[in-house]
Amino acid sequence: GEARLVAVRRAVLEYELGVNHTDTEELSAGEEHLQRCTQLLEPHRLSPDCVSLYIQAQNNLGILWSERDEIKTAQTYLESAEALYNQYMKEDGNPPLDPSEHFMAEEEKLTDQERSKRFEKAYTHTLYYLAQVYQHLEMIEKAAQYCHTTLKRQLEYCGYYPVEWALNAATLSHDKCCHFCFSQQCFMESRHCLAAASVIFSQAGQVPSAEDNEAEQDQQDLRQRKAEIARCWIKYCLNLLQSARKLLEDNIGELDPDRQLELKAQRKKEEDEKEKGRKKAVLFGTSDICDSVLAMEEKVSSVYPLDFQEAREIFLVGQNYVQEAKEFFQVDGYVTDHIEIVQDHSALFKVLAFFEEDYERRCKMHKRRIDMLEPIYADLNPHYYLLISRQLQFELADTYYEMMDLKVAIGNRLEELDSHTIKKINSLAQLAIKYYELFLDSLRNPDKVFPEELEEDVLRPAMVAKFHIARLYGKLITSDSKKQLENMQTSLEYYTFLVDYCEKYPDAVRAVETELELSKEMVGLLPTRMERLRAKLCPFI
């Protein structure tokens, strides 16, 4: 007993020296003291007077090796601490002594409740650091699980700052949406994280208005965190809508009515199973917090929308958060953030249009996208924001392209194309060509020469742009046969570029397989059509 007491007290001193050295970035000295601490405790690591100190020493060694970017070594220490906690709780489970108690008088010793709280806090730190380690190792799902458990434990043991906790929960929701397979369970958990984030954030108090003069920086920070949580809600709504679209679209990207009916019938059968998924999820908080979180969850679905009305409800939630995020991330001072939020807003309209059956209303939704994207693009300096400028050029081109296709589909339903529809189709086609050309021009070198071989990150968009321009020239409507012949020649040149490029660089084929197949077909067909048109023109030339 006496020998162990001496060893434990020495270990406490070594631990404190180790922590102090790591705080002052004397990492080698810090490691030396922490290693001696664990060596002294090793024979007694499962005893109530040693286990908490041993786990904290392992945690600090894990942090130390993380700072050296030796993530695998850090993982070993932290997993050892996790295993020791689980073993101790299984074999003993009583609140162990806190390291500070080894130099306290008997009457100063902590209560079992306080001991338990401190021990659980040390273990929560273990999980927190493990979450970071797994993220570094790109074990994304495991990282998310550990992050989720850490957040849950912080609520249970009241070891958190509301704003920081809320932002971490919101970020976790975004990670779930971005990194994991899109399952209904995934969206239910993501929504729960976001609802908890919004509820806990409200504990920080009302976000002050910009007119208040007190603690301006604190107010600014609160407004920013509120806007960041709003952005996570936007991503949630967008990902849910886009995942539903993937389930419902046919092989040409339109809504498949048979699939829609099948999924609606399937959903009806599963109504009774709805709450079972919730019971499997890791829920946050005490009963009071849970009630508030559940009330927040009811404001937006976690179920795939299967028709326009259901999609619109999710869209409106996302759009409300767009306005909230834009209040802070304004274009003056937050250019990149503001544009990304606007792009997400455009994407919400795009996916909502997929669910709309009326072509004219669908066209109006795409026009809303144009109205929000064009002013931003016009004010953007491509010299400083080249990547964003390219993204906007391509998105504007694609939006005009979709609108042109819709107008053609509307025209095909008419007995005869009227002049207004013809003018509209041509105008939309020319605007799409304009923005595709601007995108392609942005790839040219300072001497205005188009690259002989395209970089991998722009290969597909560049080839798709070429393909779409070829198709757009073929869609232009004119009664002038000479102009028609010119358009066909231009169309052939763009199709030929794509075919020739893929012959020269075979690795490019897998990026544009569908477009290449159609281009080869058109390269074979267009010369014959052009010859026929020339033959008709001959008597008049």
Side-chain angles (χ1 to χ4, degrees):
E2 186 65 30
R4 187 168 84 176
L5 181 61
V6 171
V8 172
R9 287 184 171 177
R10 275 187 61 199
V12 172
L13 294 172
E14 292 286 359
Y15 172 77
E16 289 175 353
L17 284 167
V19 171
N20 289 335
H21 277 297
T22 52
D23 283 347
T24 57
E25 296 187 358
E26 296 175 32
L27 300 183
S28 296
E31 182 195 359
E32 197 174 313
H33 288 294
L34 290 168
Q35 288 285 15
R36 276 205 293 269
C37 171
T38 56
Q39 285 165 10
L40 288 163
L41 295 176
E42 183 65 31
H44 321 290
R45 67 185 186 280
L46 276 170
S47 66
D49 53 353
C50 297
V51 66
S52 184
L53 179 60
Y54 192 92
I55 285 173
Q56 290 182 53
Q58 296 287 91
N59 283 349
N60 278 279
L61 283 165
I63 296 166
L64 185 149
W65 283 97
S66 290
E67 289 174 356
R68 293 173 173 168
D69 287 329
E70 295 284 348
I71 306 301
K72 283 282 188 183
T73 307
Q75 179 187 3
T76 302
Y77 282 112
L78 293 167
E79 286 181 347
S80 168
E82 180 189 26
L84 182 60
Y85 170 87
N86 289 328
Q87 188 179 355
Y88 177 80
M89 293 304 288
K90 184 179 178 181
E91 294 180 7
D92 191 314
N94 292 310
L97 263 68
D98 186 73
S100 62
E101 293 186 84
H102 289 289
F103 292 96
M104 285 182 180
E106 196 62 37
E107 62 274 12
E108 296 174 326
K109 294 287 176 75
L110 304 175
T111 63
D112 279 355
Q113 186 179 5
E114 182 61 28
R115 283 174 179 172
S116 178
K117 184 178 176 181
R118 293 191 185 191
F119 184 52
E120 295 298 340
K121 185 177 179 180
Y123 178 58
T124 301
H125 285 154
T126 305
L127 301 178
Y128 172 76
Y129 302 132
L130 271 172
Q132 295 180 58
V133 162
Y134 291 138
Q135 191 159 3
H136 275 293
L137 295 173
E138 297 185 358
M139 300 166 70
I140 304 299
E141 188 166 358
K142 200 164 187 179
Q145 289 168 354
Y146 275 72
C147 184
H148 200 148
T149 306
T150 300
L151 291 168
K152 184 174 183 292
R153 289 175 61 84
Q154 285 174 339
L155 282 185
E156 287 172 359
Y157 298 105
C158 299
Y160 66 96
Y161 299 102
V163 174
E164 183 184 338
W165 191 97
L167 191 60
N168 286 336
T171 306
L172 175 62
S173 166
H174 178 52
D175 288 345
K176 280 176 177 287
C177 277
C178 288
H179 295 298
F180 307 144
C181 60
F182 293 113
S183 66
Q184 211 68 73
Q185 181 69 29
C186 170
F187 281 108
M188 188 180 286
E189 289 179 0
S190 294
R191 182 184 63 172
H192 186 71
C193 290
L194 281 169
S198 295
V199 168
I200 297 298
F201 184 85
S202 67
Q203 292 182 357
Q206 288 292 96
V207 177
S209 66
E211 288 78 25
D212 294 340
N213 293 321
E214 291 183 8
E216 179 59 34
Q217 188 56 52
D218 289 343
Q219 295 172 28
Q220 183 81 348
D221 288 345
L222 275 177
R223 287 195 294 272
Q224 181 170 347
R225 297 296 177 258
K226 184 171 184 272
E228 286 169 353
I229 292 169
R231 290 181 74 177
C232 290
W233 273 113
I234 297 166
K235 295 292 186 187
Y236 168 84
C237 294
L238 184 55
N239 283 322
L240 182 56
L241 288 167
Q242 289 174 336
S243 298
R245 174 178 180 161
K246 286 178 185 175
L247 283 176
L248 289 164
E249 65 185 356
D250 58 21
N251 56 3
I252 58 168
E254 289 294 317
L255 193 148
D256 184 337
D258 292 336
R259 179 71 173 141
Q260 186 182 36
L261 289 171
E262 178 191 330
L263 288 170
K264 282 189 174 184
Q266 183 180 319
R267 182 203 285 175
K268 196 170 182 181
K269 286 181 183 177
E270 291 172 354
E271 280 297 312
D272 294 338
E273 301 292 318
K274 189 176 180 181
E275 286 305 309
K276 289 185 180 177
R278 169 171 298 286
K279 289 170 185 173
K280 291 177 187 173
V282 183
L283 300 183
F284 287 126
T286 60
S287 58
D288 288 344
I289 290 174
C290 275
D291 289 344
S292 300
V293 170
L294 291 173
M296 187 76 191
E297 286 181 330
E298 287 174 4
K299 295 178 181 180
V300 60
S301 175
S302 65
V303 176
Y304 296 128
L306 299 179
D307 57 36
F308 179 79
Q309 189 54 42
E310 292 176 356
R312 183 174 177 274
E313 288 173 8
I314 296 165
F315 165 86
L316 289 173
V317 173
Q319 183 166 249
N320 285 337
Y321 281 112
V322 165
Q323 302 312 322
E324 189 175 302
K326 282 166 70 176
E327 284 177 18
F328 180 84
F329 291 110
Q330 297 181 14
V331 72
D332 292 334
Y334 296 95
V335 177
T336 306
D337 293 292
H338 181 84
I339 292 174
E340 187 180 325
I341 292 164
V342 173
Q343 286 177 304
D344 282 343
H345 196 187
S346 169
L348 282 168
F349 268 107
K350 181 179 181 179
V351 73
L352 181 64
F354 167 81
F355 290 90
E356 176 55 69
E357 295 178 8
D358 185 283
Y359 284 179
E360 287 289 0
R361 287 180 62 187
R362 200 190 288 191
C363 248
K364 287 175 183 175
M365 290 180 197
H366 289 306
K367 181 64 169 64
R368 289 287 301 275
R369 297 172 62 204
I370 295 291
D371 291 343
M372 66 177 74
L373 294 171
E374 271 193 330
I376 285 177
Y377 172 71
D379 291 340
L380 199 64
N381 187 335
H383 181 72
Y384 297 107
Y385 299 100
L386 179 60
L387 181 59
I388 296 173
S389 181
R390 284 176 177 171
Q391 288 173 353
L392 291 172
Q393 287 162 348
F394 202 91
E395 188 171 355
L396 282 162
D398 264 3
T399 307
Y400 277 121
Y401 183 87
E402 286 193 54
M403 289 174 72
M404 184 276 300
D405 262 349
L406 287 167
K407 287 295 181 185
V408 168
I410 292 165
N412 288 339
R413 293 175 177 177
L414 303 172
E415 287 185 14
E416 187 177 343
L417 277 177
D418 56 80
S419 60
H420 173 75
T421 305
I422 291 170
K423 188 177 179 182
K424 194 66 182 174
I425 289 170
N426 285 344
S427 172
L428 292 168
Q430 285 159 353
L431 284 165
I433 289 168
K434 169 192 163 183
Y435 281 107
Y436 280 130
E437 291 287 16
L438 284 168
F439 171 76
L440 292 169
D441 285 345
S442 77
L443 304 178
R444 297 179 184 276
N445 66 20
D447 296 326
K448 307 298 182 188
V449 177
F450 196 77
E452 187 176 323
E453 185 174 5
L454 292 157
E455 296 289 335
E456 190 176 347
D457 61 329
V458 296
L459 172 62
R460 174 157 176 80
M463 300 300 268
V464 168
K466 292 276 188 182
F467 176 79
H468 282 177
I469 292 171
R471 185 170 179 269
L472 286 159
Y473 271 106
K475 290 287 181 181
L476 290 170
I477 302 168
T478 176
S479 57
D480 183 340
S481 296
K482 286 184 179 179
K483 187 62 182 172
Q484 188 181 353
L485 193 60
E486 287 175 18
N487 290 341
M488 290 172 77
Q489 179 60 42
T490 305
S491 185
L492 178 60
E493 287 168 7
Y494 279 93
Y495 282 128
T496 303
F497 175 90
L498 201 147
V499 173
D500 290 347
Y501 187 93
C502 289
E503 283 181 5
K504 189 172 183 180
Y505 302 103
D507 287 346
V509 172
R510 65 178 178 273
V512 283
E513 285 182 14
T514 305
E515 292 81 2
L516 178 59
E517 186 180 337
L518 292 168
S519 296
K520 284 179 178 177
E521 189 178 323
M522 294 307 293
V523 167
L525 290 173
L526 275 175
T528 307
R529 291 179 186 173
M530 290 166 68
E531 280 304 314
R532 286 177 190 157
L533 187 56
R534 284 194 189 97
K536 289 180 184 178
L537 285 170
C538 275
F540 306 102
I541 296 175

